[in-house]
Amino acid sequence: MANEQRPPRIACINDLSGYGRCSLTTAIAVLSAMGVQACPVPTAILSKHTGFDRYTFTDFTPHMGAYMADWAELEFDAVYTGFLGSAEQIRLVEGFLAQQRARQSTPPHVIIDTVMGDGGKIYPTYTPDMCRLMRRLVSHADVITPNVTEACILTGTPYSGEELTTAQARELACRLYELGAGAVVITGIVREPVLCNLVYDGRELYFDAETRTERMFSGTGDLFASIVSARLAAGGSLPEAVSLAGSFIAAATRYTLSLGTPAMEGVCFEPCLSRLMHPQSQEK
Ligand code: PXL
């Protein structure tokens, strides 16, 4: 739990994509707006995210071990992981989690955003060995936030689109939960006319619904996991965190649609950040 003398502190292990609003640029902005100290561990440095036709990619794996070892005396209220670019990085994250657990009497919240794919396709950087290690990594999480594609990959379920019946969604959530995380949130399930996030903690299962907008934007998964991580680190409950994340993304997406910017540029969330500044006062 956060030390009352300072803001909550989160280690954010994710890539830095210079353009396109995702991963660390999103996490740092959102956490800061929510009064949480964002401490980044870059996994890779890209000029733009991989949805663009052209980008540069610099793998940060060789530097991550020393970087995180240098943090051995620091204590984090949460560890939040996103895009991991190699099998070695997944092992390094496991080591960092073990280091943090060994240090602290109250272990950190662990939020693993299983960034592995989208739209039924696995990202080209993801190898079968990384999938195996990611299945192992999620067993250390308090909360995992896969989209439907990632939920299918993790559970070996054939992907048949983002639209799921209640029975299919329940089956997917139960199979994910069996991988060992404390709670599972499957994001972006289409249940016309709404878009849902399914929450399952081994006891309760429910859908948190938002109005569906006509277009989808990249980086919404990063917004979602960042908001959930910040609320949990600040002592909020998972249902409250999921509801805040869903309503923020819906509002910021509607605003972005009104601007007419390209989907690749992500959600223009910056002018909306004030909605996150006092989340307790935000009603749906
Ligand atoms: O938003 C997920 C994400 C994170 N990091 C990189 C990406 C993407 C999605 O395309 O390319 C580098």
Side-chain angles (χ1 to χ4, degrees):
M1 193 46 54
N3 178 326
E4 290 184 8
Q5 300 305 308
R6 59 162 174 79
R9 179 187 294 154
I10 304 186
C12 307
I13 308 176
N14 213 334
D15 72 87
L16 179 71
S17 289
Y19 194 78
R21 295 191 184 86
C22 68
S23 34
L24 279 180
T25 55
T26 296
I28 295 168
V30 165
L31 267 57
S32 302
M34 293 178 72
V36 173
Q37 181 187 3
C39 304
V41 180
T43 56
I45 300 173
L46 295 86
S47 57
K48 309 190 202 82
H49 68 60
T50 61
F52 287 90
D53 289 340
R54 205 190 64 227
Y55 54 86
T56 67
F57 181 99
T58 307
D59 181 12
F60 205 63
T61 309
H63 310 286
M64 285 174 63
Y67 190 117
M68 291 192 286
D70 186 55
W71 282 3
E73 78 282 7
L74 298 178
E75 295 187 355
F76 294 91
D77 303 298
V79 178
Y80 156 36
T81 74
F83 177 88
L84 301 175
S86 65
E88 180 58 16
Q89 287 188 2
I90 303 178
R91 291 192 196 93
L92 286 165
V93 170
E94 283 182 326
F96 182 65
L97 292 177
Q99 178 201 86
Q100 282 293 310
R101 289 209 167 99
R103 268 201 71 81
Q104 304 196 43
S105 50
T106 309
H109 294 276
V110 178
I111 300 95
I112 296 182
D113 186 15
T114 50
V115 180
M116 304 168 81
D118 207 0
K121 294 202 183 74
I122 193 160
Y123 292 137
T125 51
Y126 241 85
T127 62
D129 195 33
M130 288 175 72
C131 290
R132 182 182 62 79
L133 289 170
M134 187 52 109
R135 279 189 200 104
R136 193 171 82 186
L137 183 66
V138 299
S139 71
H140 301 292
D142 294 301
V143 180
I144 59 172
T145 57
N147 59 28
V148 175
T149 301
E150 292 154 354
C152 289
I153 297 169
L154 285 165
T155 57
T157 308
Y159 173 86
S160 57
E162 312 285 311
E163 196 156 353
L164 302 179
T165 64
T166 303
Q168 285 172 323
R170 179 183 293 273
E171 168 76 14
L172 205 48
C174 290
R175 293 185 62 186
L176 278 171
Y177 183 76
E178 282 167 11
L179 295 176
V184 168
V185 185
I186 306 177
T187 62
I189 300 174
V190 174
R191 290 165 65 84
E192 294 293 4
V194 292
L195 197 63
C196 293
N197 299 309
L198 171 61
V199 184
Y200 181 53
D201 65 1
R203 293 180 302 276
E204 270 193 88
L205 179 143
Y206 70 93
F207 291 92
D208 189 79
E210 291 296 337
T211 315
R212 193 172 181 220
T213 51
E214 70 254 36
R215 275 169 65 211
M216 307 280 265
F217 291 87
S218 67
T220 49
D222 303 310
L223 276 172
F224 186 88
S226 298
I227 296 167
V228 167
S229 299
R231 277 310 292 146
L232 293 180
S237 69
L238 183 61
E240 178 203 328
V242 167
S243 161
L244 176 68
S247 60
F248 178 81
I249 293 167
T253 301
R254 278 194 295 274
Y255 171 70
T256 308
L257 282 168
S258 78
L259 299 179
T261 50
M264 205 76 90
E265 302 211 353
V267 181
C268 300
F269 62 80
E270 299 87 356
C272 308
L273 281 173
S274 60
R275 296 176 69 100
L276 293 173
M277 286 181 183
H278 303 286
Q280 295 84 345
S281 66
Q282 300 289 326
E283 296 299 333
K284 287 192 101 175

